[in-house]
Amino acid sequence: PIWRSFGIGSTRSWNKSKPNSTSPLVSRSPTTGAKTPFRYKDACFYEISARTYADSNGDGRGDFVGLTSRLDYLRDLGVDCLWLLPIYASPLRDDGYDVSDYLTIHPDFGTTRDMEELIAQAHARGIRIIFDLIPDHTSNEHPWFKAATKDPTSKYFNYYVWSDTANKYNKARIIFLDCETSNWEYDPDVQQYYWHRFFKSQPNLNFQNPDVQEEILEIMRYWMSKGIDGFRVDAVPYLYQREGTDCENLPETHTFLKRLRHVVDSEFPGRILLAEANQWPQQLLEYFGNGDEFHMAFHFPIMPRIYISLRKENVSSLVWVMNHTPPIPPTCQWCMFLRNHDELTLEMVTEEERQYMWHEYAPDRMARLNLGIRRRLAPLLGNDQRRIRLCHALLFTLPGAPILYYGDEIGMGDNVSLKDRDGCRTPMQWTSRKNGGFTSSDTPIVPPVSDPVFGYHSVSVEQQQRQPSSLLNWVRHAIRKRRQYPVLARGLFEMVLT
């Protein structure tokens, strides 16, 4: 095949009277001092687990100060925007997606001042930063949920979804089939069931309650006032429930999302919202609205079909999904990725395709996670440099904005013997020295990969910077080439088979 693009609340009080002036539309170029817009449609995004990226103080945990020290590397790589995985206070039962305080930074990362310095230094280098916003649920250790279970007459009781029976909304699928058997969990204190779409430790918020909507809007305002450039909004299809439906993609969801977008456009112009909605393209189209909901959305169905086409040496699966991708509003953009951070997600495939992917790419059951595969790119492809570069070439030329996962630019490996997401969130490998240069601690929060093929003695930034033909230098060159041709991000797309 030839790939061708053508054509050209309980939230604490804060001062919201003066939004931070360092918005994407007014950030200064580090070379000219001119005002530059956030060209999100053309941007190259880079996803970071800050907890395992760079440790500045030797406590074994990555932090904002460490990340700030690596901004020059990211600028030189060609990164336009950093996407930081959850940074909020959390008991970390789900890697931070179980939030116990939306307005507090987890102490692992440092202080609010450290975060503000990170944002300022990133903006000085022309790099934007987006955070995760997790509106669907909280941790069961959040003060709202604790207040709800302590006193069912408190206002916080209606912040969550309760039922006397576990039979409501029985058309809704169970998402985490490998560890949950129901979307309801019984609370002995309340003597009722609460609704959860993910882990039982993550009760869903009740978006039928206007107070909950206001809480989420205030949380968004708080962080945007600190200068961040937008949010990747987690699990947006599941905000509302209604009997007789599958409780996904309901019209009420879009009503709230339009309100979310209105707040961004009116109060923080130039910031962006990125939708995490693991749905088919026609359903994803709804999350763009008429250009008045999300600016960007992940294209989940295309991801596994890259790997199916590669292994079968037959592009028909990829052609099919591209042919079923509808046009989107002109101000919107797809986000392309090679894995949903630490997982090659297999929800948007047929059961036959899923079994094929497991057989070909994850014969070891330890490499499987729910309905996906928890492997990094290089191990998935047998460390075949031609295939790794081919997948990156597709990432940079398919229509949309590419998202790199930290460490993929050097071909980092994984460790599936570690629990859950940790297997693909091992420390960034900077050098061949102790712990790959991630930390001086003897007890890093996650052990670095140390096997002979992918370990930091064999794979590191320092090593590849010295090798002109390395994967790192190839990726850097590919990003620069993509930047030279805006048609790759904005042009029409046609697949020509030969």
Side-chain angles (χ1 to χ4, degrees):
I2 297 175
W3 306 87
R4 176 165 41 170
S5 296
F6 64 98
I8 294 280
S10 61
T11 52
R12 291 185 297 276
S13 62
W14 54 278
N15 182 3
K16 56 183 178 182
S17 60
K18 295 182 179 180
N20 189 303
S21 62
T22 314
S23 79
L25 290 183
V26 297
S27 61
R28 301 260 175 195
S29 163
T31 54
T32 66
K35 295 182 179 181
T36 58
F38 186 0
R39 297 172 62 89
Y40 59 89
K41 293 182 69 172
D42 306 312
C44 178
F45 290 74
Y46 187 90
E47 180 186 3
I48 285 182
S49 167
R51 190 173 275 106
T52 53
Y53 201 68
D55 171 21
S56 69
N57 60 9
D59 68 356
R61 293 163 169 78
D63 48 50
F64 289 146
V65 174
L67 175 54
T68 302
S69 73
R70 297 296 184 176
L71 288 174
D72 287 345
Y73 164 78
L74 294 166
R75 177 200 58 199
D76 295 344
L77 180 60
V79 171
D80 298 297
C81 183
L82 302 181
W83 159 26
L84 269 60
L85 293 175
I87 53 86
Y88 311 110
S90 167
L92 299 179
R93 294 176 186 166
D94 187 25
D95 293 275
Y97 286 98
D98 50 331
V99 179
S100 59
D101 186 342
Y102 286 100
L103 301 186
T104 298
I105 293 169
H106 194 285
D108 282 358
F109 300 114
T111 66
T112 300
R113 180 167 295 189
D114 294 337
M115 182 206 70
E116 291 172 337
E117 180 65 11
L118 167 64
I119 294 170
Q121 291 299 324
H123 286 174
R125 291 163 174 80
I127 299 173
R128 275 65 178 194
I129 295 180
I130 64 173
F131 284 1
D132 267 322
L133 179 65
I134 305 155
D136 177 74
H137 54 265
T138 69
S139 165
N140 59 3
E141 296 186 24
H142 195 289
W144 298 341
F145 191 74
K146 288 183 175 181
T149 57
K150 182 179 180 180
D151 180 9
T153 66
S154 77
K155 75 169 189 174
Y156 298 111
F157 185 77
N158 288 324
Y159 273 38
Y160 297 91
V161 181
W162 300 92
S163 173
D164 291 326
T165 171
N167 296 324
K168 287 185 69 175
Y169 312 139
N170 58 13
K171 291 187 177 181
R173 65 192 173 106
I174 298 170
I175 296 172
F176 286 168
L177 281 168
D178 56 346
C179 53
E180 298 291 348
T181 58
S182 172
N183 286 321
W184 292 101
E185 181 68 14
Y186 187 73
D187 186 279
D189 294 327
V190 176
Q191 297 184 2
Q192 282 188 313
Y193 296 88
Y194 63 84
W195 179 252
H196 63 91
R197 289 309 300 267
F198 297 97
F199 294 115
K200 61 174 63 73
S201 59
Q202 296 166 315
N204 267 58
L205 287 167
N206 176 19
F207 274 82
Q208 301 284 2
N209 184 342
D211 289 345
V212 168
Q213 296 183 31
E214 288 300 325
E215 295 279 13
I216 297 302
L217 294 176
E218 286 300 294
I219 290 163
M220 184 178 71
R221 289 182 174 111
Y222 175 81
W223 291 108
M224 285 193 169
S225 77
K226 297 292 186 184
I228 71 165
D229 301 289
F231 287 103
R232 174 249 191 207
V233 187
D234 185 63
V236 291
Y238 317 116
L239 300 185
Y240 285 81
Q241 307 79 36
R242 195 185 333 131
E243 196 65 74
T245 73
D246 64 1
C247 301
E248 297 184 23
N249 308 309
L250 297 181
E252 302 96 300
T253 299
H254 296 285
T255 300
F256 173 71
L257 293 175
K258 289 180 190 297
R259 188 179 176 202
L260 195 75
R261 172 65 180 270
H262 175 73
V263 170
V264 172
D265 287 349
S266 61
E267 299 180 27
F268 302 95
R271 317 295 173 98
I272 67 162
L273 296 173
L274 165 58
E276 192 244 1
N278 194 350
Q279 306 287 322
W280 293 103
Q282 197 63 43
Q283 294 169 316
L284 282 166
L285 183 62
E286 299 172 6
Y287 288 92
F288 294 117
N290 294 314
D292 58 352
E293 288 191 34
F294 284 96
H295 301 79
M296 312 181 82
F298 292 109
H299 197 315
F300 275 90
I302 203 169
M303 174 178 51
R305 287 170 177 82
I306 291 174
Y307 296 91
I308 292 172
S309 297
L310 185 62
R311 185 55 58 94
K312 289 186 174 181
E313 300 184 3
N314 184 323
V315 78
S316 59
S317 180
L318 199 50
V319 171
W320 179 87
V321 75
M322 291 304 299
N323 287 341
H324 284 79
T325 299
I328 59 177
T331 57
C332 298
Q333 183 62 295
W334 294 110
C335 280
M336 297 293 176
F337 52 177
L338 296 175
R339 286 171 341 285
N340 182 28
H341 34 254
D342 34 42
E343 180 186 356
L344 203 175
T345 312
L346 300 178
E347 287 188 59
M348 295 296 113
V349 296
T350 66
E351 182 59 30
E352 180 181 356
E353 289 171 326
R354 185 178 300 116
Q355 293 298 329
Y356 175 81
M357 288 288 288
W358 276 338
H359 179 269
E360 294 296 320
Y361 289 103
D364 181 355
R365 289 186 174 272
M366 291 184 67
R368 302 178 189 181
L369 180 67
N370 195 28
L371 294 181
I373 299 171
R374 59 182 194 118
R375 299 302 308 270
R376 272 190 173 269
L377 180 65
L380 272 172
L381 302 179
N383 206 29
D384 185 325
Q385 292 296 305
R386 299 169 304 162
R387 291 173 181 263
I388 293 170
R389 296 181 191 206
L390 172 60
C391 284
H392 277 105
L394 291 173
L395 177 67
F396 295 137
T397 56
L398 285 169
I403 297 183
L404 281 168
Y405 186 53
Y406 83 97
D408 277 0
E409 72 272 20
I410 59 172
M412 273 178 55
D414 52 39
N415 183 353
V416 297
S417 68
L418 298 175
K419 67 177 181 65
D420 198 33
R421 302 177 190 265
D422 286 351
C424 294
R425 294 191 183 181
T426 54
M428 183 66 178
Q429 295 169 199
W430 297 104
T431 72
S432 60
R433 294 183 287 279
K434 180 180 178 179
N435 295 318
F438 161 67
T439 179
S440 60
S441 172
D442 293 329
T443 55
I445 187 170
V446 177
V449 174
S450 57
D451 69 65
V453 176
F454 295 108
Y456 57 86
H457 294 294
S458 304
V459 178
S460 71
V461 170
E462 182 182 66
Q463 176 197 62
Q464 293 195 21
Q465 283 177 328
R466 296 196 298 258
Q467 298 173 350
S469 62
S470 69
L471 177 62
L472 173 60
N473 282 313
W474 186 92
V475 169
R476 182 185 293 123
H477 175 75
I479 292 173
R480 288 176 179 169
K481 279 294 180 185
R482 180 183 179 276
R483 187 171 287 150
Q484 291 175 17
Y485 299 99
V487 66
L488 293 174
R490 297 173 176 260
L492 302 176
F493 179 88
E494 179 185 41
M495 197 173 285
V496 181
L497 303 182
T498 60

